[in-house]
Amino acid sequence: MVSMSTERKNASRPTSSPDINCDRLQNNGVAKWNDNNKEKFQPHEESPNQIVYRKMEHIVERMQDENNGVPVKTVKNFMTKVPSVFTGADLINWMVRNIDVLDQVEALHLAHLMAAHGYYFPIEEHILTVKNDNTLYRFQTPYFWPSNCWEPDNTDYAVYLCKRTMQNKTRLELADYEAENLARLQKMFARKWEFIFMQAEAQSRVDKKRDKLERKILDSQERAFWDVHRPVPGCVNTTEVDIRKACRMNRPMRNVSLRHHSIGIAGGRLSPPPLPEISASPAEQLQKEIEALRKRIARTTVKVSKVSEAQISFAEQYKEYDPFLVASDPPNPWISDSTDLWDLEKHAKELTNKRVRRWAFSLHELLNDPLGREHFVKYLEKEFSSENLRFWEAVQDLKQLHQRAVATRSREIWSEFLGTEATCPVNIDSKSLEATRLAMDNPDRWTFDRAAGHVYHLMRSDSYSRFLRSEMYKELLTGSRKKTSVKGILAIVPFSNK
Amino acid sequence: MPKDDPEITKLKNELQSLIQKFQDAQKTAADTTLETVCGSMSDVPKIRMTTKKVLKGHINKVTCCDFAGDSRHVVSGSLDGKLIIWDAWTGNKVQVIPLRSAWVMSSVFAKSGNFVACGGMDNMCTVYDLNNRDSSGSAKIVRELAGYEGFLSCSRFFDDKKIITGSGDTRLTVWDLESGKKLQEINCAHAGDVCSMSMSSDQNTLVTGSVDRTMKVWDMRDMTCQQTFFGHESDVNSVCMHPSGFAFCSASEDKTARLFDIRADQQIGLYRPPTSNSGFTSSGLSRSGRYLFAGSDDSTVHVWDIAKAQHVGNMQGHENRITSLSVSENGMAVATGSWDNYVKIWL
């Protein structure tokens, strides 16, 4: 089933004018494919790709403007003429002058991105990139633009490669990867290869009838089209979809009540969307939803004003620990090119005021810092309440133990901290104690988690808050402050910064 | 549409009135907006982050990357079937781990730096020990966790012995790495693929995002869903816990990034880039929680100041869409992986 190009009848014979403009090319960009493919020409609705394509096409149209666009000419090369090309340097210069780019580097980047989508291409190469020099490029005919939602299948590709082999021109020889692809396709389509061969023959017959220069252009454009849709191995394929989403296209999502989705929007829609079809046991489903909603309403929530204030205080508190806001000291290794920061952290014995203050943020921060933990332990020992921390740490270590040792170690922990004859009893509520006792029948790494959580809470409200008010901590703060230089103090004392 | 009998009608009416009540309650709680309260805060400097290191080595799209707890090493997984452990400061490859399946979608570092876990279309989670090599010289496989009915989309280490994973079969599974057994499994955690998860620093709370447009907050101690958040209009591709543990940000296919507060149980921020063209694939927050980073399909990372809800810049340099983003533990650098085969370090 071969279709001749219907549009060719309308096309006027191209003159030898160097500037072959798009319209003529479009008419001569023959409808080589079957009539079925004509449906594909309608671009889809507002998919994000379409928006981007439109933007790129807008720029390309400006580039192709006869008077103000990129200068396209025919280059004479030894015995041959290279029609309708422009140099990379011209392209970049045009972009810098006409588009809002910062500099040549950004223009080159943008040019490269547009080339990767196939709007123009290097005439000598398969790899779609742009160089800012005298390398020659050609525009792609709008017929082949990605916005036409081509999804060419392997049959079309096979026809194309087959056609290439029929023409005895060196410039049309297949590249290695193309030869491999052709071999693979031959295997895949072994049964209908005759049909493919016939189509290829028909197409090359049509091609032969055309003017030599025109053929050069069209051949190169067709090759560029395939470079986009079947790229050289190692190149990025801009037509690809994220495989995770592609998987889902064939698998419809489970039918779920999406009604509540309108609720969560702050100040969102007042009227819920139309009720979806109710599947089996509709009453039950409704009941479930009602329950869930009741729970949500019953839950106490905090006002946005309060949480915003909490956010602010957190951000302010951690501001100087955020390297993006306040430069860290010693400096960020990537900026200073030295690993001082990490070396210092390893051998950290020195207490900076910044570090000591961080311990006051939360118990988590205190225990995270090995020096902070050391000081806290010393304090607890003075207060004779170190068993809480020791228990909590033993439970954390238990989680890292080898499976074999878990059972014995948990029994040890039990007898040391929780049992009736515990050597260092910790204070936990009776419920947790009971639950843990029951769990001790089958001890595993997480047996003590509940009890440990309780102890952590206790530490935080009791020992930790006293530690922060203690003389020891105050001394650490002032002592470390004295050590820092004057410059350091100026950085510490908060000035209102606007 | 079958005719409803009176019981169903009654239930439906009750549901409607509850919905109304809930919406009213939310509106009263939303007595102000985050930006208004933060009005008095000083502005943050505009982001001028540039690429400080380009990690070259993959020969196909990079689908995932993650910083280690030391804020220096990065693991990245790519469709070329390799996991590469980089020293992000020198740019050298510390280890290259060939994978059995090339379709890796998620790779994470344990905080200690001793293990990495990866998985993807092979429906398995494989854990490698970086300190032990096997006979062929690459990192030893410690565990191969199988039993998923969908692809592995995300995972997080609790510690060297416990890992939680989210997968395309809508499950969340917690594994004990030493025995290789499932500790807990939640079926139908979401109504669609679980795309992403993030843990709080005290490891008690987990937030997950899914293609069913919702995000759920889970209590790790008893593995129950505490809250569900709505608001996005399309797949939630990525979630990231706020360092305070009381909020989280999300990035979605609907071209917005949002900030949700757990205590207020609602959305408190909505962020769009100036030219809103492409969906977001990944997100991260800075150490103080002030900056929100979102990697997008348009090859740039957009940055917002969440307090003022302002777009403060974007990071350009990748040549194809950004698939993953990770902020280092100490907040010093951002790593991004992209379809252009590179991992870049920004600061």
Side-chain angles (χ1 to χ4, degrees), chain B residues 148-162:
Chain B
Y148 296 97
E149 284 167 12
F151 64 91
L152 192 86
S153 54
C154 49
S155 48
R156 284 276 178 266
F157 277 93
F158 281 95
D159 50 48
D160 282 1
K161 299 273 192 275
K162 195 160 139 190

Side-chain angles (χ1 to χ4, degrees), chain A residues 28 72 85 148 174 214 216 342 416 471:
Chain A
N28 291 338
V72 176
V85 288
N148 290 334
L174 292 181
E214 202 191 330
K216 258 198 196 172
W342 289 309
E416 187 177 346
E471 280 307 310

Side-chain angles (χ1 to χ4, degrees), chain B residues 8-296:
Chain B
I8 300 228
T9 333
K10 194 166 75 107
L11 285 176
K12 276 195 196 164
N13 290 336
E14 194 180 344
L15 192 55
Q16 295 286 62
S17 66
L18 275 182
I19 291 177
Q20 191 58 47
K21 210 167 140 193
F22 183 76
Q23 285 178 330
D24 291 339
Q26 272 213 326
K27 285 185 101 181
T28 22
D31 51 354
T32 175
T33 58
L34 182 58
E35 302 94 81
T36 333
V37 180
C38 296
S40 56
M41 282 177 94
S42 52
D43 282 332
V44 283
K46 287 248 179 247
I47 284 273
R48 279 268 171 265
M49 286 168 72
T50 49
T51 310
K52 281 294 183 297
K53 266 277 176 291
V54 182
L55 306 177
K56 298 187 196 183
H58 282 296
I59 53 177
N60 205 330
K61 311 186 170 89
V62 176
T63 52
C64 43
C65 66
D66 191 32
F67 255 108
D70 64 359
S71 300
R72 183 164 173 175
H73 291 89
V74 175
V75 62
S76 63
S78 149
L79 292 183
D80 62 3
K82 300 259 191 309
L83 270 191
I84 301 188
I85 317 285
W86 312 83
D87 173 345
W89 186 66
T90 54
N92 295 334
K93 303 185 196 42
V94 171
Q95 275 197 47
V96 177
I97 305 175
L99 301 172
R100 295 216 182 127
S101 153
W103 300 99
V104 60
M105 312 256 56
S106 145
S107 60
V108 286
F109 237 120
K111 199 150 170 232
S112 62
N114 294 330
F115 296 95
V116 287
C118 70
M121 293 290 173
D122 56 355
N123 292 10
M124 273 199 324
C125 176
T126 317
V127 182
Y128 293 88
D129 181 348
L130 297 179
N131 299 323
N132 286 323
R133 307 287 174 114
D134 64 9
S135 44
S136 66
S138 50
K140 198 160 172 209
I141 297 184
V142 168
R143 281 277 161 231
E144 277 179 330
L145 308 169
Y148 296 97
E149 284 167 12
F151 64 91
L152 192 86
S153 54
C154 49
S155 48
R156 284 276 178 266
F157 277 93
F158 281 95
D159 50 48
D160 282 1
K161 299 273 192 275
K162 195 160 139 190
I163 189 173
I164 180 168
T165 60
S167 45
D169 54 6
T170 73
R171 279 195 210 137
L172 285 179
T173 324
V174 183
W175 300 84
D176 171 11
L177 287 177
E178 215 183 309
S179 61
K181 296 219 171 54
K182 290 186 201 180
L183 287 170
Q184 270 156 321
E185 190 176 28
I186 304 176
N187 291 318
C188 301
H190 277 276
D193 311 352
V194 178
C195 276
S196 160
M197 57 168 64
S198 177
M199 249 195 316
S200 60
S201 49
D202 60 4
Q203 300 193 340
N204 284 335
T205 327
L206 181 84
V207 60
T208 56
S210 157
V211 304
D212 67 357
R213 305 182 232 153
T214 67
M215 291 136 286
K216 296 199 181 194
V217 172
W218 306 81
D219 180 334
M220 283 289 94
R221 284 166 292 209
D222 41 1
M223 286 304 285
T224 51
C225 172
Q226 299 297 330
Q227 284 165 275
T228 311
F229 291 85
F230 304 94
H232 274 297
E233 290 153 17
S234 183
D235 308 353
V236 179
N237 281 331
S238 164
V239 291
C240 183
M241 188 66 100
H242 192 273
S244 68
F246 292 127
F248 62 91
C249 74
S250 64
S252 155
E253 200 76 32
D254 67 358
K255 309 176 203 159
T256 63
R258 297 180 199 224
L259 186 69
F260 293 85
D261 188 286
I262 298 180
R263 284 178 302 190
D265 198 23
Q266 48 179 301
Q267 175 186 308
I268 55 175
L270 170 61
Y271 312 107
R272 271 186 230 275
T275 44
S276 182
N277 283 335
S278 7
F280 292 108
T281 55
S282 46
S283 60
L285 285 165
S286 74
R287 188 68 189 80
S288 65
R290 195 76 194 264
Y291 288 121
L292 191 161
F293 302 96
S296 153

Side-chain angles (χ1 to χ4, degrees), chain A residues 130-163:
Chain A
V130 176
K131 294 195 202 123
N132 188 0
D133 56 16
N134 285 330
T135 328
L136 297 171
Y137 298 86
R138 187 173 287 143
F139 282 115
Q140 179 64 284
T141 169
Y143 177 78
F144 280 141
W145 281 354
S147 51
N148 290 334
C149 289
W150 289 102
E151 268 161 52
D153 56 16
N154 284 325
T155 324
D156 298 326
Y157 190 42
V159 169
Y160 167 67
L161 285 179
C162 197
K163 183 175 63 159

Side-chain angles (χ1 to χ4, degrees), chain A residues 229-283:
Chain A
H229 289 270
R230 296 280 184 278
V232 180
C235 279
V236 173
N237 185 342
T238 49
T239 56
E240 269 192 53
V241 178
D242 189 356
I243 48 177
R244 277 182 281 190
K245 313 292 177 183
C247 281
R248 269 208 336 204
M249 285 191 221
N250 298 329
R251 208 188 347 135
M253 217 167 74
R254 249 177 266 174
N255 188 13
V256 92
S257 162
L258 302 177
R259 181 202 341 257
H260 299 309
H261 287 212
S262 62
I263 300 178
I265 306 171
R269 285 172 260 156
L270 282 184
S271 56
L275 303 177
E277 286 185 59
I278 301 186
S279 53
S281 67

Side-chain angles (χ1 to χ4, degrees), chain A residues 233-466:
Chain A
C235 279
V236 173
N237 185 342
T238 49
T239 56
E240 269 192 53
V241 178
D242 189 356
I243 48 177
R244 277 182 281 190
K245 313 292 177 183
C247 281
R248 269 208 336 204
M249 285 191 221
N250 298 329
R251 208 188 347 135
M253 217 167 74
R254 249 177 266 174
N255 188 13
V256 92
S257 162
L258 302 177
R259 181 202 341 257
H260 299 309
H261 287 212
S262 62
I263 300 178
I265 306 171
R269 285 172 260 156
L270 282 184
S271 56
L275 303 177
E277 286 185 59
I278 301 186
S279 53
S281 67
E284 268 186 34
Q285 194 165 351
L286 281 172
Q287 278 286 29
K288 265 198 259 173
E289 286 177 23
I290 292 179
E291 268 314 302
L293 256 186
R294 280 234 178 81
K295 267 200 230 154
R296 270 195 93 177
I297 297 180
R299 186 166 47 220
T300 42
T301 53
V302 183
K303 283 199 193 299
V304 173
S305 49
K306 283 254 154 40
V307 301
S308 310
E309 277 164 27
Q311 281 269 334
I312 297 178
S313 52
F314 182 86
E316 288 295 329
Q317 198 179 51
Y318 276 88
K319 186 166 170 178
E320 67 179 292
Y321 300 96
D322 185 343
F324 294 142
L325 289 172
V326 172
S328 67
D329 174 38
N332 195 320
W334 279 281
I335 296 181
S336 65
D337 265 345
S338 75
T339 51
D340 287 344
L341 178 82
W342 289 309
D343 296 335
L344 272 175
E345 266 177 21
K346 259 194 267 174
H347 311 295
K349 281 292 165 198
E350 194 184 293
L351 280 178
T352 57
N353 188 279
K354 186 172 165 180
R355 198 169 165 183
V356 176
R357 268 184 301 129
R358 197 169 176 171
W359 300 342
F361 291 173
S362 68
L363 181 55
H364 178 75
E365 291 282 356
L366 176 65
L367 294 178
N368 236 5
D369 187 347
L371 268 185
R373 197 195 138 276
E374 252 182 62
H375 286 281
F376 189 50
V377 164
K378 272 194 232 154
Y379 171 77
L380 287 176
E381 277 169 7
K382 277 209 298 195
E383 302 264 313
F384 301 108
S385 52
S386 62
E387 69 275 1
N388 284 336
L389 184 61
R390 281 196 306 119
F391 172 63
W392 186 81
E393 287 189 337
V395 174
Q396 303 312 309
D397 289 337
L398 181 67
K399 294 194 193 166
Q400 302 295 331
L401 269 190
H402 204 284
Q403 188 83 327
R404 291 189 290 263
V406 165
T408 26
R409 184 82 188 103
S410 18
R411 275 193 282 273
E412 281 169 22
I413 293 180
W414 173 265
S415 52
E416 187 177 346
F417 295 104
L418 293 172
T420 38
E421 296 181 354
T423 43
C424 304
V426 283
N427 196 1
I428 55 171
D429 63 313
S430 49
K431 266 206 212 147
S432 312
L433 187 59
E434 262 317 297
T436 320
R437 190 203 302 276
L438 286 171
M440 276 305 287
D441 293 335
N442 287 323
D444 63 24
R445 287 203 197 92
W446 300 281
T447 318
F448 296 106
D449 273 0
R450 189 170 161 172
H454 189 87
V455 164
Y456 189 84
H457 188 72
L458 244 159
M459 270 199 298
R460 191 173 51 199
S461 45
D462 189 25
S463 326
Y464 175 63
S465 41
R466 275 188 289 124

